[in-house]
Amino acid sequence: MKKFTTLSSTAIPLSIENVDTDQIIPARFLKATDRKGFGENAFRDWRYHKDGSVNSDFVLNNNIYSGSILVAGDNFGCGSSREHAAWALSDYGFKVIISSFFADIFKGNALNNGLLPIQVSEDFLKSLLQVIEENPSMLLQVNLEEQKLEVEDVDLVTSFEIDAYKKTCLINGYDDIDYLVNQKDKIEAFEAQKMY
Amino acid sequence: MGRTLFDKVWDAHLVDSIENGPQILYIDKHLIHEVTSPQAFAELEARNIPIYRPDQIVATADHNTPTKDQHLPIKDALSKKQLEQLTSNCERNNITLYQLGHKYNGIVHVMAPELGITQPGMTIVCGDSHTSTHGAFGSIAFGIGTSQVAQVFASQSLLLKKPKSLRVNVNGKLKKGVLPKDVILYIIAKIGTNAGTGYFCEYAGEVFEQMSMEGRMTVCNMSIEMGARGGMIAPDQTTFDYIQGRKFAPDSKDFESKVAYWKTLPSDEDAIFDKEYYFDAEDIEPMLTYGTNPGMGIKISESIPELSDASFEKSLKYMDFQKGQSLIGKPINFVFIGSCTNSRIEDFRVAAGFIKGKQKASNVTAWLVPGSKQVEAQIIEEGLKEIFDDAGFELRQPGCSACLAMNDDKIPQGEYCVSTSNRNFEGRQGQGSRTILASPLMAAATAVEGKIIDISKQLN
């Protein structure tokens, strides 16, 4: 897994609530059998009209915005468990997703792919979206070690929560498979004495 | 302090706890399908890690399969490749696969319970968010991502943080025409699509106690639509009777000792939940969704609420509905009865019961897609197919079908579909399609009338 420590980037504001994984990557693109190339179809039906023409109203097609941070509305990533959603966002170029609330499975999938989900308060999200919309070239600073998200130029700063184990994994690029495979003795002992 | 059903099952599967971190949970059954498993097999192969417990894995092909002419070669090259890869991955790793055409093939959340694979007190995972279905048996069952599929392949375990507990109580007696689907759509409409995030939900009260296993599966299936990773219902005599005698059920000499254990699982009376909701069965009516998430639901007698926020308005615009509008009388051209929510025999019995002696409206294209080969066989055996044929309905072959429209079963751009599935997201049933979630009874009535009707008026 890719390591994550710090990031300084501009951000793209997607101020829509309940962005579900069917929007992030529609089901018809789930036929691939490897993890590559999903970025091309990330938010496909919002980026393009059905006839294939570009939907210029959609924020990802607005070239005043760029960067590897996506700032999205409440309950981001709800719906299907498809990890293809995390792969698509990563492959598109995002490294951090900021929202006031993440759906469980998406959050886990993101963390398992080195894509950092940062949960902030609703008020902070509102301020952050406003800052980005007013000045799209504003840089955001993410520091995972310090669990800090900051927009230095406007003095907007917040800390964020992350599970200590997951934090270690991200900083070092470890994943759960490495950990679990090393626990085989305990798992075998559990199997031998399980009570049900 | 007393323990909840969830606590009891969780604790019995705890391998170890990491200090200040997650716990290692042992997984009894791992269900897999063609869409979310190939990358996990590839991951293990690339790292040279063997599948740890292949005999605890069961595979089926469902998401990406055609629902017509299943005996013919699959036309779509990518779908064909995905299914072939599932077959070769299972063969290479000695995993049981019920592939397309097999008498046990079906939607993973329909075939596993009907084979008796799903049992109380188990931990069950699958790379599909509707794995919560299996909680109907009093098991901890939840959807996982592909990285986690690989973790279970490698260790038959997962690293997890214990979720908080939530209980939804519904007491009283349901009105005529109100089905389990209406109960869960009502709950989600009341508490919202993220009220359950971070929680595992238990459904309790008279309504669930009196419900069939099929109905309980419908309810638990949609737990994820309120954000909860899983939903559970305490196992009882209804559960034991359903399991007994099924192919992979405990055999007769073990069955009684299993039942004795299963009877210890229900939540203790003094168990405390982190959050509880109480609803009255009499308040529930046949439900419909009008928006683009399952929480945007109304009773048939209600009108679309008049809210003013950007996401709500975006949703109504997509659906081409107005604030304050009633859905009664809305012409509908597509009806889908199927999906892991409502494709079990009971659902087709309900539909057939309404359709018998009537005709499908000429403007309606209706797809009836059984959840499994066994359900399909039972539909024929019970004479329901004849009823559907006589009324002009098309009974197709099993699969996930128009629930997520990965195969050819797509609703055209701009068309409404009254659907018994679980998600009404934008484009879920095909690009530009507009989904209205409802029960099999509402769906059948819509197909016959060619428009949405107030079914409760017709029944009472």
Side-chain angles (χ1 to χ4, degrees):
Chain A
M1 196 175 75
K2 281 175 281 183
K3 292 182 185 182
F4 188 104
T5 49
T6 59
L7 177 71
S8 178
S9 168
T10 51
I12 302 179
L14 178 65
S15 50
I16 299 171
E17 291 176 8
N18 298 310
V19 174
D20 59 74
T21 52
D22 273 83
Q23 307 317 315
I24 300 171
I25 183 84
R28 63 186 185 280
F29 301 115
L30 305 185
K31 296 181 182 184
T33 49
D34 59 27
R35 295 182 185 222
K36 294 187 205 86
F38 288 103
E40 195 186 322
N41 295 313
F43 294 109
R44 176 81 196 189
D45 294 341
W46 284 353
R47 278 162 67 199
Y48 300 96
H49 296 297
K50 200 175 177 188
D51 63 9
S53 62
V54 171
N55 173 12
S56 53
D57 291 341
F58 185 54
V59 69
L60 291 193
N61 294 328
N62 184 345
N63 50 25
I64 67 167
Y65 298 114
S66 64
S68 49
I69 300 176
L70 182 69
V71 184
D74 203 55
N75 201 26
F76 185 84
C78 58
S80 144
S81 65
R82 61 188 69 163
E83 195 159 313
H84 311 67
W87 301 335
L89 292 168
S90 253
D91 192 47
Y92 187 86
F94 291 115
K95 294 187 170 72
V96 170
I97 314 288
I98 300 171
S99 175
S100 51
F101 201 86
F102 289 95
D104 266 348
I105 305 180
F106 173 80
K107 192 174 177 180
N109 288 342
L111 287 165
N112 283 333
N113 287 279
L115 176 68
L116 178 65
I118 298 181
Q119 187 170 329
V120 297
S121 71
E122 279 180 30
D123 287 345
F124 187 91
L125 182 71
K126 222 170 165 180
S127 310
L128 184 61
L129 285 167
Q130 199 181 340
V131 164
I132 299 164
E133 280 160 12
E134 280 167 10
N135 184 356
S137 60
M138 192 69 83
L139 282 175
L140 279 63
Q141 292 84 27
V142 178
N143 187 319
L144 178 57
E145 182 60 53
E146 294 176 14
Q147 296 178 217
K148 194 169 83 172
L149 166 66
E150 194 173 9
V151 192
E152 263 175 28
D153 291 355
V154 289
D155 208 18
L156 190 63
V157 60
T158 187
S159 60
F160 60 86
E161 295 292 315
I162 183 170
D163 178 87
Y165 164 80
K166 275 292 168 198
K167 180 175 166 179
T168 312
C169 286
L170 278 172
I171 289 173
N172 297 293
Y174 300 155
D175 68 17
D176 291 358
I177 294 182
D178 299 322
Y179 187 90
L180 285 166
V181 168
N182 284 321
Q183 303 299 312
K184 278 286 171 61
D185 292 351
K186 283 182 187 160
I187 294 166
E188 276 173 19
F190 174 86
E191 286 176 319
Q193 55 82 54
K194 65 182 186 216
M195 299 299 288
Y196 54 92
Chain B
M1 194 180 80
R3 292 192 302 157
T4 65
L5 163 63
F6 178 84
D7 290 335
K8 292 178 192 183
V9 182
W10 179 276
D11 292 350
H13 290 82
L14 216 45
V15 176
D16 199 12
S17 299
I18 304 173
E19 215 181 304
N20 297 321
Q23 296 179 306
I24 303 177
L25 191 77
Y26 189 77
I27 303 301
D28 294 318
K29 291 287 174 206
H30 186 192
L31 309 171
I32 63 171
H33 61 83
E34 73 276 23
V35 176
T36 57
S37 68
Q39 293 88 349
F41 280 110
E43 176 85 29
L44 256 65
E45 270 170 34
R47 292 160 80 151
N48 209 13
I49 301 171
I51 304 260
Y52 180 58
R53 294 287 179 243
D55 55 342
Q56 286 170 241
I57 307 171
V58 177
T60 185
D62 57 3
H63 279 65
N64 201 0
T65 53
T67 57
K68 266 187 122 164
D69 298 330
Q70 290 186 347
H71 61 290
L72 298 176
I74 292 170
K75 288 182 206 144
D76 181 304
L78 285 173
S79 303
K80 185 164 180 274
K81 188 181 165 209
Q82 204 169 45
L83 290 167
E84 285 170 355
Q85 196 146 354
L86 180 70
T87 305
S88 67
N89 280 331
C90 288
E91 275 171 3
R92 212 166 40 251
N93 291 289
N94 295 316
I95 293 168
T96 302
L97 165 66
Y98 299 124
Q99 59 194 328
L100 198 61
H102 190 284
K103 66 175 177 175
Y104 296 148
N105 174 259
I107 305 176
V108 60
H109 311 310
V110 176
M111 52 75 69
E114 76 186 1
L115 287 172
I117 294 168
T118 304
Q119 294 170 23
M122 280 183 167
T123 48
I124 301 171
V125 295
C126 174
D128 185 283
S129 60
H130 294 111
T131 308
S132 57
T133 310
H134 307 262
F137 291 77
S139 61
I140 290 184
F142 54 92
I144 56 177
T146 297
S147 293
Q148 291 175 307
V149 172
Q151 291 159 29
V152 182
F153 279 166
S155 67
Q156 204 58 37
S157 303
L158 281 173
L159 284 169
L160 296 164
K161 214 176 136 191
K162 189 176 177 180
K164 288 185 277 189
S165 61
L166 157 70
R167 184 161 62 184
V168 175
N169 303 275
V170 187
N171 283 296
K173 200 171 171 324
L174 293 174
K175 288 187 211 160
K176 215 170 165 186
V178 175
L179 302 191
K181 180 63 165 289
D182 300 306
V183 175
I184 188 64
L185 284 174
Y186 175 85
I187 293 168
I188 301 166
K190 283 280 177 195
I191 71 176
T193 49
N194 64 13
T197 307
Y199 293 83
F200 226 85
C201 178
E202 179 175 338
Y203 301 94
E206 292 153 8
V207 163
F208 306 109
E209 285 161 18
Q210 286 154 20
M211 220 175 246
S212 67
M213 287 315 295
E214 284 86 352
R216 292 178 189 184
M217 285 190 255
T218 297
V219 169
C220 290
N221 172 277
M222 290 191 71
S223 303
I224 187 70
E225 311 311 336
M226 57 186 191
R229 198 76 181 261
M232 303 174 88
I233 293 174
D236 59 10
Q237 199 56 46
T238 306
T239 323
F240 313 146
D241 291 345
Y242 180 95
I243 295 169
Q244 193 162 25
R246 289 182 188 265
K247 184 167 172 63
F248 295 105
D251 57 28
S252 49
K253 67 179 192 310
D254 287 339
F255 198 77
E256 272 184 32
S257 68
K258 282 281 184 188
V259 168
Y261 170 61
W262 295 343
K263 283 183 173 170
T264 68
L265 295 174
S267 295
D268 297 330
E269 269 183 32
D270 57 344
I272 295 172
F273 289 79
D274 295 310
K275 192 152 90 170
E276 286 211 66
Y277 294 98
Y278 294 87
F279 298 107
D280 192 343
E282 278 86 11
D283 287 342
I284 308 175
E285 286 179 26
M287 299 288 294
L288 291 169
T289 61
Y290 59 86
T292 56
N293 71 58
M296 300 176 82
I298 47 174
K299 299 177 191 177
I300 183 70
S301 66
E302 291 176 333
S303 301
I304 295 173
E306 308 203 18
L307 307 177
S308 54
D309 73 76
S311 295
F312 181 82
E313 280 164 7
K314 178 179 186 295
S315 196
L316 284 199
K317 189 175 171 221
Y318 181 84
M319 293 298 291
D320 195 23
F321 285 146
Q322 312 300 321
K323 294 176 189 178
Q325 183 183 348
S326 159
L327 297 185
I328 297 172
K330 179 83 193 165
I332 301 291
N333 295 331
F334 286 84
V335 168
F336 171 59
I337 301 182
S339 88
C340 58
T341 314
N342 284 117
S343 63
R344 299 180 180 82
I345 188 65
E346 190 177 277
D347 302 314
F348 292 99
R349 287 184 192 137
V350 165
F354 183 86
I355 290 166
K356 194 173 182 176
K358 302 187 180 82
Q359 281 295 313
K360 181 182 71 63
S362 57
N363 62 310
V364 172
T365 302
W367 295 330
L368 309 183
V369 183
S372 69
K373 289 292 279 182
Q374 295 210 78
V375 172
E376 181 188 34
Q378 207 170 342
I379 288 172
I380 295 166
E381 198 186 297
E382 292 186 12
L384 309 183
K385 186 177 184 301
E386 273 182 84
I387 296 174
F388 296 137
D389 287 347
D390 290 347
F393 284 79
E394 185 184 5
L395 182 68
R396 297 172 78 104
Q397 291 171 300
C400 297
S401 181
C403 173
L404 83 168
M406 261 193 91
N407 67 359
D408 291 338
D409 306 347
K410 297 182 200 312
I411 308 301
Q413 167 104 17
E415 289 285 356
Y416 293 97
C417 177
V418 171
S419 174
T420 66
S421 55
N422 39 56
R423 289 192 173 130
N424 49 348
F425 298 154
E426 284 183 30
R428 171 81 178 181
Q429 298 193 285
Q431 268 182 285
S433 63
R434 296 170 171 148
T435 303
I436 297 171
L437 300 176
S439 76
L441 178 61
M442 284 292 287
T446 305
V448 166
E449 299 289 338
K451 61 184 185 195
I452 293 173
I453 61 158
D454 185 348
I455 188 74
S456 49
K457 289 220 169 91
Q458 193 167 116
L459 293 175
N460 290 317

